[in-house]
Amino acid sequence: MQKHTITAIICLAGALVASAIAGASFLSMRTPDIIVRGPGVTEVKMLSDWFPGIKGTAGDTEVYVMKGADDGESMLVLGGTHPNEPSGHLSAILLIENAIPKTGTLYVIPRANNSGFTVNDPQEGSPQSYTIQTPSGPRWFRYGSRATNPIDQWPDPNVYIHASSGQTLSGSETRNLNRGYPGRPDGTLTEKVCYGIVQLIKQQNVTITVDLHEASPEYPVINAIVAHPKAMQLASDTVLGLEMQDIKISLEPSPVNLRGLSHRELGDFTDTLPLLMETANASQGRLRGRTDAALVLTGKDKWYVRAAKLGRLYVPYDEKGHPIEERVGRHVTAIGEILNSWNLENPDKPIEIENLPGYEDLQTKGVGAYLLPIPAK
Amino acid sequence: MSQEFWLFILMVGVFAAGCFALKWPVSVSMLLASVAGALAGGVQDPIRHLVEGTFGYVDTIMTIATAMMFMTGFRDSGALEALTAAVIKKFHKLPGILTVLLTFVIMVPGMITGSSTASVLTSGAVVAPMFMSMGMSAVDSGALISIAAILGMIAPPVNIPAMIIGGGIDMPYVGFELPLILLTFPLAIVFALWFGWRKVKKGDHSAMLSKLDFSTLNKYGGLRLFSPLIFIFVLMILDKAVPRIFSLGMPLIFILGTALTWIAGKRFNILKSAKKSIEDVMPVLGILVGVGMFIQIMTATGVRGFIVVNALSVPPALLYLMIAISIPLFGAISAFGSASVLGVPFMLALLSQDQIIAAAALSLIASLGDFMPPTALAAIFGAQVVGLEKYGGVLKKLIIPGIIIVVYAILFIVFSKQIRAIL
Amino acid sequence: MFFIYLAILAVVLALTVWVLFDTKKLSLQVTAAMVIVPLLLRLLMIK
Ligand SMILES: [Zn+2]
């Protein structure tokens, strides 16, 4: 054998070994985190029950149905629209494992972009998961990609054209669930998932839809609630209610010219009242330092502290960071406040949900105190 | 000094040592710098991170590889030489106008696809021999092609860095056409004349004309011979005009074009031609893979945050200087990466300006990243299509134009509101 | 379109492996090996 053939074999072997090690790690992302059925869960359906077009695809995702004793209005909570924004995913899980609806129905989709939970964004250095201590032991949760896994939707076009408005965005936004609404039954996988969520809202006559997000601390819309015009009254009542609890949140109207987002299209295309909420997540920002599971959980980051001193941020930032308890607490408390505001205005058709973790309790006891033990198989 | 500072020094140091002292290829030096950074920075799961970073460029690798296959096929079919002969014969009496026109021709694929590589390797490769037979030196031709390619990437309708910057602040890509035309077209004319006007020979062309070889053209006819080029232009335009029906994407367009080169002109071995093209382009593909690893490790260890926050740390008066320096420098990694990593934070610092004009100007500055070694895609391919082994000479010729481009773009940001008032 | 692109990627990967075994330059071989990794993992639909 010639010398260059031997070196070629050695090089190829090296490539195969690296591929095998990394490939095993990438494949491990396909194992989903475990969500325990709480006492309020009456049924676990799949989104394909409302739109069969996604059955058997990576986009199909669990819908936790939590029916109260009395029929009434309903609320849909979307967690994990962006799987790299953990407080949305975790808040949805806390609702599933704790909430007990009395009147009306709560629908929770904890992994709205299910495909995005199976991959990490390249060049972001993201952790694959983070672990929370609970009284019954540690529980881990998935940290995913902002967008649909390219394995499930590829290639991206040069330019993403939003189907119903013609608005153009950079090609990678094709895989962004929150740019795809109202979706298309014959579109990309991401558009099909959007379409499925719209079908659920239409067929179940969902009264209020809350889309849970996080934003990087340098992004202007943060610690905010974004509302479609027809949900404006509900949102401003909610902001007042949260201020009474010393939680500062800003109210942003849904921009008319920014299309494909849940707070715009769900309001235009269905009868639901759409709201979107943002908390502060350092692990998705461009200014962050070392990126790992600890950053996801604590938000402690020296570069963000420095950027805050330079006046570059839209949230206060100090050495205490923005821990996951605070971010989940904001989301869960705001959901409670949205329900309060709705019930005050609509006493004849309330949505009453009990046993939501309180903001102060979450800060003192931690998120883990509200996570159930994983049942033995 | 922070730990991130020393990690950054370590990574750059290993890279420089590998590249310059040990004369390793850029790709391998990047790989070793990334490994060093991952180990010293205590990154968990280092092999997963190194490999994950490379996936940021899988699509770019496919575009570049297929574009190169097309260009090689077009050349091997004899079409490239024939096209030069035909154009020079027709237009040799009007060299000034021809240079400007050809510069815009180079820009077109970049304007349609948003990729400077598409410009250099398609129309750039076609125009290169024309420039040289008009009397321009190889280095000048390569430089002008590189400049035209990045201006094409920024010129409307498709400008991906502007989309990336806009996406970071939730600004839709609407209303960018006019500012982008004002940013790019005047520069294209200026640089075409700068490189072309003085250099192209005037007067007697008979000697030059007699050297042209028309045999392939006469044998196959222009329409048949040039059909692959016309074909990919038509597909690119259809992709842009009716994306809902077409949307083939550049790699597929280039593959179809390559297949057509095989039947359009002189017979050649398409497998050997494709393999040769991948061999020629392999160092660039390797650089992209290495850079992907490098960014992933910089991000995981916090070096990226260190760079971004320090770039934002300057007093407001120096902000423009920092933009002018840091965005092109970071573009050493990639123009798109620079638009995302630095373009977005700077855009957030410029929200009080006219946002569309500011974002358009930032995208132009980001495009200079394609001149910045080690990636320097536009410069490397610019040298390649004019037949130069090394791109250092081309790079030197790009320094002053690069500075002019940055200054022009910064003026657009500073006076964005006044410019908006006129528009 | 997905599988058409996988086919294009397979062509690029095959040519890369060919270059790896054909060239006599070690630096080009190492570079080709680096390029093979992401292409292979995408072709196998792992990442
Ligand atoms: Zn989000």
Side-chain angles (χ1 to χ4, degrees):
Chain A
M1 215 180 327
Q2 279 177 296
K3 186 177 158 239
H4 74 94
T5 312
I6 298 169
T7 52
I9 290 170
I10 295 170
C11 286
L12 186 63
L16 292 179
V17 168
S19 302
I21 295 171
S25 176
F26 297 143
L27 284 175
S28 75
M29 290 288 288
R30 311 265 171 104
T31 311
D33 47 16
I34 293 171
I35 300 175
V36 183
R37 287 187 189 205
V41 176
T42 45
E43 201 179 352
V44 184
K45 301 186 84 162
M46 296 301 283
L47 192 58
S48 55
D49 292 332
W50 285 273
F51 173 49
I54 53 170
K55 198 170 178 69
T57 70
D60 201 4
T61 189
E62 291 175 336
V63 181
Y64 288 79
V65 184
M66 306 169 78
K67 260 192 202 321
D70 296 309
D71 270 347
E73 305 291 304
S74 55
M75 177 189 251
L76 167 64
V77 175
L78 300 174
T81 292
H82 292 147
N84 64 337
E85 300 172 1
S87 84
H89 180 51
L90 264 186
S91 301
I93 292 173
L94 244 52
L95 292 178
I96 292 165
E97 300 195 3
N98 292 276
I100 303 175
K102 228 175 86 191
T103 318
T105 308
L106 178 63
Y107 299 91
V108 184
I109 305 182
R111 302 183 194 98
N113 189 345
N114 189 60
S115 162
F117 277 95
T118 61
V119 70
N120 290 116
D121 290 315
Q123 303 180 359
E124 288 296 331
S126 308
Q128 295 178 323
S129 65
Y130 49 93
T131 299
I132 292 178
Q133 298 303 325
T134 78
S136 61
R139 276 182 64 181
W140 66 268
F141 297 94
R142 209 31 102 208
Y143 188 96
S145 152
R146 178 174 172 81
T148 304
N149 190 336
I151 289 302
D152 303 319
Q153 184 181 322
W154 187 65
D156 292 340
N158 268 349
V159 175
Y160 168 52
I161 300 166
H162 178 241
S164 59
S165 68
Q167 167 186 279
T168 53
L169 291 166
S170 91
S172 61
E173 299 287 317
T174 313
R175 289 180 285 113
N176 183 342
L177 190 70
N178 203 26
R179 297 294 180 277
Y181 291 106
R184 289 190 292 175
D186 55 352
T188 62
L189 179 66
T190 309
E191 287 176 313
K192 285 180 183 170
V193 173
C194 290
Y195 184 80
I197 291 169
V198 168
Q199 295 317 299
L200 186 161
I201 291 171
K202 281 185 170 169
Q203 289 168 29
Q204 303 306 132
N205 259 319
V206 172
T207 320
I208 303 167
T209 301
V210 187
D211 191 5
L212 300 177
H213 286 256
E214 299 208 78
S216 50
E218 69 272 22
Y219 183 66
V221 181
I222 193 162
N223 279 356
I225 180 162
V226 189
H228 189 272
K230 65 187 189 189
M232 214 53 186
Q233 184 61 47
L234 180 62
S236 59
D237 290 349
T238 305
V239 170
L240 286 177
L242 287 169
E243 289 209 334
M244 307 271 259
Q245 302 189 47
D246 270 338
I247 297 177
K248 295 238 176 317
I249 190 163
S250 63
L251 176 56
E252 312 274 346
S254 166
V256 181
N257 65 350
L258 191 56
R259 305 299 302 268
L261 288 94
S262 61
H263 52 70
R264 165 55 46 195
E265 311 295 347
L266 294 180
D268 286 359
F269 282 85
T270 75
D271 293 328
T272 200
L273 299 175
L275 301 167
L276 181 149
M277 295 197 292
E278 303 270 12
T279 55
N281 173 25
S283 67
Q284 70 182 110
R286 286 179 171 78
L287 279 54
R288 67 175 189 270
R290 171 174 287 277
T291 306
D292 53 17
L295 178 65
V296 171
L297 290 174
T298 66
K300 285 182 186 162
D301 186 280
K302 61 178 169 182
W303 300 117
Y304 271 115
V305 174
R306 183 145 157 225
K309 289 183 186 140
L310 294 165
R312 299 284 179 202
L313 305 185
Y314 291 85
V315 278
Y317 223 107
D318 59 24
E319 283 72 13
K320 294 202 279 294
H322 286 282
I324 196 76
E325 285 76 22
E326 172 202 308
R327 289 138 61 196
V328 169
R330 291 183 71 96
H331 276 334
V332 174
T333 312
I335 287 168
E337 227 16 83
I338 292 167
L339 293 171
N340 282 344
S341 307
W342 169 262
N343 294 342
L344 278 173
E345 291 284 326
N346 303 277
D348 52 322
K349 39 179 183 175
I351 311 170
E352 291 169 303
I353 296 173
E354 292 181 340
N355 206 34
L356 292 183
Y359 186 81
E360 285 307 323
D361 286 342
L362 270 170
Q363 309 313 303
T364 50
K365 295 184 206 158
V367 170
Y370 296 91
L371 291 170
L372 301 176
I374 296 172
K377 282 210 176 122
Chain B
M1 280 294 152
S2 62
Q3 193 206 352
E4 287 84 351
F5 172 80
W6 293 114
L7 268 175
F8 184 50
I9 297 294
L10 172 76
M11 289 175 75
V12 173
V14 171
F15 170 73
C19 216
F20 304 119
L22 301 169
K23 303 277 180 208
W24 287 334
V26 174
S27 53
V28 177
S29 307
M30 277 277 172
L31 167 65
L32 292 173
S34 309
V35 170
L39 295 178
V43 172
Q44 292 203 340
D45 236 352
I47 293 179
R48 187 268 286 190
H49 277 292
L50 289 169
V51 175
E52 188 166 281
T54 67
F55 278 86
Y57 294 120
V58 165
D59 293 5
T60 317
I61 286 172
M62 286 181 63
T63 303
I64 291 177
T66 51
M68 197 70 183
M69 286 158 71
F70 171 77
M71 195 206 97
T72 312
F74 194 68
R75 195 185 55 209
D76 290 351
S77 74
L80 197 56
E81 205 184 352
L83 188 56
T84 313
V87 171
I88 295 297
K89 191 183 168 196
K90 267 215 159 77
F91 292 102
H92 68 273
K93 293 203 175 92
L94 303 159
I97 294 169
L98 184 58
T99 326
V100 174
L101 276 181
L102 291 179
T103 302
F104 278 96
V105 168
I106 301 169
M107 287 169 66
V108 169
M111 291 162 67
I112 300 168
T113 63
S115 152
S116 66
T117 309
S119 261
V120 182
L121 288 184
T122 59
S123 51
V126 169
V127 168
M130 302 182 191
F131 278 164
M132 289 190 286
S133 46
M134 284 161 62
M136 280 168 71
S137 68
V139 176
D140 279 337
S141 309
L144 182 52
I145 290 167
S146 316
I147 292 171
I150 65 144
L151 292 176
M153 164 168 101
I154 296 309
V158 176
N159 173 334
I160 291 169
M163 289 179 186
I164 290 170
I165 294 168
I169 63 161
D170 275 352
M171 175 170 62
Y173 182 69
V174 175
F176 277 82
E177 287 82 0
L178 198 53
L180 289 175
I181 285 174
L182 290 179
L183 275 163
T184 52
F185 284 20
L187 288 174
I189 295 169
V190 165
F191 291 123
L193 297 177
W194 168 313
F195 284 102
W197 193 257
R198 293 166 293 146
K199 307 279 165 62
V200 293
K201 287 182 211 133
K202 297 199 179 101
D204 185 29
H205 294 273
S206 52
M208 182 187 84
L209 285 176
S210 67
K211 264 192 262 165
L212 298 173
D213 178 7
F214 290 92
S215 60
T216 320
L217 185 60
N218 293 336
K219 186 174 173 199
Y220 296 97
L223 194 63
R224 175 170 168 195
L225 203 48
F226 307 145
S227 62
L229 196 62
I230 301 165
F231 178 69
I232 64 158
F233 271 163
V234 168
L235 289 187
M236 280 182 192
I237 290 164
L238 284 175
D239 243 29
K240 169 68 191 153
V242 282
R244 279 166 218 215
I245 308 165
F246 259 85
S247 199
L248 299 180
M250 287 204 290
L252 181 52
I253 292 176
F254 284 130
I255 284 282
L256 294 173
T258 310
L260 196 54
T261 61
W262 192 45
I263 49 175
K266 278 196 286 195
R267 285 313 208 137
F268 62 98
N269 184 329
I270 193 164
L271 279 179
K272 284 212 171 117
S273 166
K275 183 238 161 193
K276 175 81 173 63
S277 64
I278 296 295
E279 191 170 333
D280 287 346
V281 85
M282 190 62 72
V284 179
L285 305 184
I287 290 170
L288 289 173
V289 169
V291 164
M293 297 174 176
F294 197 83
I295 300 186
Q296 177 98 2
I297 299 304
M298 284 210 316
T299 309
T301 53
V303 172
R304 189 180 88 169
F306 159 80
I307 294 171
V308 175
V309 173
N310 276 297
L312 287 170
S313 295
V314 294
L318 292 177
L319 188 70
Y320 295 114
L321 187 66
M322 206 63 207
I323 290 173
I325 295 168
S326 64
I327 294 183
L329 269 185
F330 201 87
I333 280 164
S334 89
F336 295 171
S338 188
S340 171
V341 170
L342 283 170
V344 173
F346 279 127
M347 188 62 224
L348 287 164
L350 293 171
L351 289 179
S352 59
Q353 300 289 344
D354 182 275
Q355 293 181 12
I356 290 178
I357 293 176
L362 284 178
S363 76
L364 178 59
I365 299 174
S367 75
L368 290 175
D370 277 357
F371 289 167
M372 195 61 67
T375 48
L377 291 180
I380 290 176
F381 289 133
Q384 205 159 62
V385 294
V386 296
L388 292 172
E389 282 265 309
K390 298 229 158 100
Y391 70 104
V394 172
L395 211 55
K396 271 186 212 135
K397 292 272 179 183
L398 291 172
I399 294 172
I400 293 171
I403 293 169
I404 293 173
I405 291 172
V406 168
V407 171
Y408 188 62
I410 293 286
L411 287 176
F412 263 71
I413 300 177
V414 176
F415 297 107
S416 66
K417 286 181 178 156
Q418 288 84 343
I419 293 168
R420 169 61 63 201
I422 304 166
L423 292 183
Chain C
M1 194 54 82
F2 180 82
F3 291 101
I4 295 173
Y5 267 72
L6 275 193
I8 297 175
L9 188 140
V11 170
V12 176
L13 177 59
L15 292 170
T16 307
V17 175
W18 186 4
V19 170
L20 169 66
F21 279 91
D22 196 48
T23 184
K24 297 206 162 64
K25 280 192 258 174
L26 180 63
S27 66
L28 197 60
Q29 290 183 325
V30 178
T31 305
M34 286 170 66
V35 175
I36 284 170
V37 174
L39 296 181
L40 180 66
L41 288 171
R42 176 60 54 88
L43 184 67
L44 296 175
M45 292 171 55
I46 288 171
K47 169 107 177 166

